[in-house]
Amino acid sequence: MKKIMLVTYFYPPIGGAGLPGVQRSIKLVKYLNNSRITVLTVNEADYPDYAVLNFNRKLPIDGETIIRTTFKNVFDYVLLIRKVLKSLMINGRDQKQVVPARITNIAAPPLKKPKANFWQKVKDYVYELCNFPDYASGWIIPAVATGRRIIQKQKFDVILATGMPWTALVIAWILHRLSGAKLVVDFRDPWVGNPFDTSKGWFLDRIKSFLERRIVTDAALVTANTTVLRDEFIARYAGKVDTRKFMVLPNGFDPDDFSNLATAEPQQSTEPSPHLILAHAGYLYGKRDPAPILEAIRHLDRTGMASAESFRFVQMGNIHLEYDFHERYRDLEERGVVVDLGTFAFEECLGKLKSSDVLLLIQPGTKSQVPSKLYDYLCLNRPILTMTPLDGALGDLIRENEFGDIFSPDDVAGIASRLNELLREKQEKGGLWADYPNRVRFDIRNIVAGLEQRMDEILVRPETA
């Protein structure tokens, strides 16, 4: 059996916005059948305060060894030093002027930042340095130190890391250099060229590109969760590395996750349901904006085609958009159209999705990413309505596999027309349901088996090939 060290920041019990990363990690552990796995991850107590720890899976998942390490946020130490120095300076002038320092939650910045002065810009840059390559950078030193002790005691065939956060890939790369084990890196999202990322300045952007290039060059296998992302890697590294090392490793559904849910069968009703329930599960942030759906509902209401009260937009997950969501759609909230339920544990979220009529995918602004929730949606037998660029990875996948309706995010009229059709269909039939035969292509058991086969191939020595 292969001995694998899996480096992952996300592991149970973290859930919420970290759920896609957790699911990716535990499915690798669960279905890499011919492997003995050691998981290198973060102490539960060291996840940030805003992390949601509600993914209560019994550990170990499948006999893996779990090694948890500390997390040291460098910026916290910078703030502490600043606080001490400021206190000493004030004490040196006038003891009565001492004011207790107050450190705000830097994880949730204001929606509109005031114009920064010079010292604020310096502070912001120091913050970016301390949080490079991402928010998990404080994990690098503890994880490398712990990982090095482990690899001194036992030999690993493969060091496998999944990102983001990209810190996990950096840790795995360093441990690969220290141990000589084969390096396999899994990109759940783009690192360089991620449309949801913002520039950290010329210097840090160059270092980011350098790190990705070194990690990809040294890796024996690089996996990407979409064909578009794999093709981006091939285009970027053609002539520099053997592009056969890039493979597609899509997300998928695990039949076990749905074994406790009753089968979604059509339910006929003599009385029409009062409204169409549109459900979205997941974090709304940046460009992942539900505005096209809500504006479509407003359009139907204004034109008299359907009352806004005929719809319920149900959000399950945190909201942190570039505007005040609740202020902009206060009128719809007051009319009961918008319902913000907050976060839920995974199993409870599946139950609420199943009791909905239409499941929403919101993925504007990127052509290389496919949200992992799609695969869970497929097993709930409900109509899926997707808003994404029509020529991107998600658009291609939806069309090729006939996974519901797809609209460009700017096609408010088209979305409105489809919502009206779905509302009428529900009122006539008493319920909505769908079947997706092509979902069998995304059974996670088969997907991970393909990864294991490729890892076996890279471990075969030339003399035995």
Side-chain angles (χ1 to χ4, degrees):
M1 295 182 73
K2 299 180 296 299
K3 294 185 71 174
I4 299 175
M5 176 181 285
L6 171 62
V7 183
T8 176
Y9 179 82
F10 293 117
Y11 215 64
I14 194 168
L19 188 60
V22 170
Q23 290 280 37
R24 185 84 155 182
S25 297
I26 66 175
K27 301 315 177 189
L28 291 173
V29 168
K30 185 177 179 181
Y31 292 117
L32 284 170
N33 295 319
N34 298 317
S35 306
R36 189 173 300 130
I37 299 177
T38 297
V39 177
L40 183 62
T41 188
V42 178
N43 281 336
E44 293 180 25
D46 286 333
Y47 283 119
D49 294 339
Y50 53 86
V52 180
L53 305 180
N54 64 357
F55 194 62
N56 299 313
R57 285 296 173 92
K58 184 179 179 181
L59 297 177
I61 297 295
D62 191 33
E64 74 277 14
T65 300
I66 303 172
I67 307 295
R68 296 188 181 270
T69 71
T70 58
F71 180 96
K72 303 296 184 183
N73 191 314
V74 179
F75 192 68
D76 286 346
Y77 290 105
V78 172
L79 290 178
L80 179 61
I81 293 170
R82 176 178 175 271
K83 174 184 174 182
V84 171
L85 291 175
K86 187 175 181 180
S87 178
L88 290 173
M89 292 173 65
I90 293 175
N91 284 334
R93 294 197 302 267
D94 184 355
Q95 183 68 26
K96 295 181 180 180
Q97 296 179 10
V98 176
V99 178
R102 179 175 180 269
I103 300 176
T104 58
N105 183 4
I106 58 176
L111 296 177
K112 292 184 178 181
K113 293 183 179 180
K115 188 174 181 180
N117 58 32
F118 173 77
W119 291 112
Q120 182 61 45
K121 290 179 180 179
V122 171
K123 180 182 176 181
D124 290 344
Y125 196 72
V126 171
Y127 173 79
E128 297 294 353
L129 283 172
C130 293
N131 288 274
F132 183 83
D134 47 48
Y135 55 84
S137 62
W139 186 40
I140 293 176
I141 293 176
V144 169
T146 300
R148 184 171 181 270
R149 286 196 296 270
I150 296 171
I151 62 180
Q152 286 177 335
K153 295 178 181 178
Q154 56 181 307
K155 182 180 180 346
F156 287 91
D157 301 297
V158 174
I159 296 177
L160 166 63
T162 178
M164 64 168 314
W166 312 116
T167 287
L169 273 58
V170 173
I171 293 167
W173 175 60
I174 296 172
L175 294 176
H176 151 75
R177 303 285 292 186
L178 293 172
S179 67
K182 298 289 187 180
L183 176 63
V184 177
V185 289
D186 173 45
F187 287 81
R188 301 192 312 274
D189 293 296
W191 186 2
V192 172
N194 190 320
F196 289 92
D197 197 11
T198 55
S199 173
K200 303 296 190 297
W202 176 85
F203 178 66
L204 292 182
D205 287 350
R206 290 291 297 271
I207 295 180
K208 177 174 68 175
S209 297
F210 168 79
L211 281 175
E212 184 194 87
R213 183 170 64 253
R214 289 302 305 268
I215 290 170
V216 166
T217 300
D218 285 1
L221 182 64
V222 178
T223 66
N225 73 335
T226 67
T227 301
V228 172
L229 181 55
R230 181 204 60 187
D231 292 345
E232 287 181 5
F233 277 120
I234 290 175
R236 187 152 62 240
Y237 293 103
K240 302 173 185 176
V241 301
D242 184 352
T243 54
R244 291 175 297 179
K245 73 168 63 177
F246 299 110
M247 71 170 286
V248 178
L249 188 73
N251 288 308
F253 68 90
D254 184 351
D256 288 352
D257 290 340
F258 302 88
S259 59
N260 294 327
L261 290 176
T263 303
E265 295 293 344
Q267 298 294 323
Q268 298 292 342
S269 174
T270 57
E271 294 293 332
S273 300
H275 40 248
L276 186 74
I277 302 175
L278 313 167
H280 177 263
Y283 188 18
L284 293 175
Y285 67 98
K287 298 178 181 179
R288 188 168 289 159
D289 186 349
I293 284 284
L294 300 179
E295 295 305 325
I297 292 173
R298 279 178 168 169
H299 172 76
L300 291 171
D301 190 60
R302 285 194 303 266
T303 59
M305 297 175 65
S307 169
E309 282 85 355
S310 300
F311 302 91
R312 293 288 185 273
F313 171 84
V314 179
Q315 165 62 14
M316 288 170 276
N318 291 326
I319 302 175
H320 188 217
L321 296 166
E322 296 174 350
Y323 61 89
D324 189 328
F325 173 81
H326 294 288
E327 181 61 31
R328 178 178 294 186
Y329 295 107
R330 185 175 303 279
D331 61 316
L332 296 182
E333 286 188 332
E334 291 174 349
R335 297 171 69 179
V337 178
V338 172
V339 181
D340 180 5
L341 296 181
T343 59
F344 289 94
F346 177 65
E347 290 79 6
E348 187 177 358
C349 184
L350 288 182
K352 290 186 178 297
L353 287 171
K354 189 176 178 181
S355 65
S356 304
D357 298 310
V358 180
L359 307 179
L360 302 176
L361 284 176
I362 303 172
Q363 192 75 3
T366 173
K367 296 184 178 182
S368 61
Q369 295 168 279
V370 174
S372 61
K373 68 175 70 68
L374 165 64
Y375 307 99
D376 295 327
Y377 283 4
L378 295 176
C379 294
L380 296 171
N381 297 337
R382 295 290 182 267
I384 299 172
L385 194 155
T386 300
M387 289 165 291
T388 195
L390 301 182
D391 57 346
L394 178 56
D396 290 344
L397 189 150
I398 294 292
R399 280 193 303 275
E400 290 169 7
N401 294 280
E402 300 180 332
F403 289 158
D405 299 301
I406 178 172
F407 294 92
S408 173
D410 58 4
D411 186 9
V412 173
I415 295 170
S417 177
R418 183 55 179 153
L419 289 180
N420 199 33
E421 291 173 358
L422 290 167
L423 174 63
R424 302 305 171 213
E425 183 179 344
K426 179 180 179 180
Q427 291 173 340
E428 293 171 4
K429 298 180 179 179
L432 296 176
W433 52 91
D435 186 31
Y436 302 106
N438 289 333
R439 70 186 176 196
V440 296
R441 301 176 182 176
F442 299 96
D443 187 320
I444 196 65
R445 297 170 295 187
N446 301 327
I447 292 169
V448 176
L451 170 65
E452 186 148 49
Q453 180 179 350
R454 287 294 300 271
M455 286 198 293
D456 289 339
E457 291 171 359
I458 66 174
L459 289 172
V460 174
R461 300 184 185 280
E463 60 268 25
T464 60

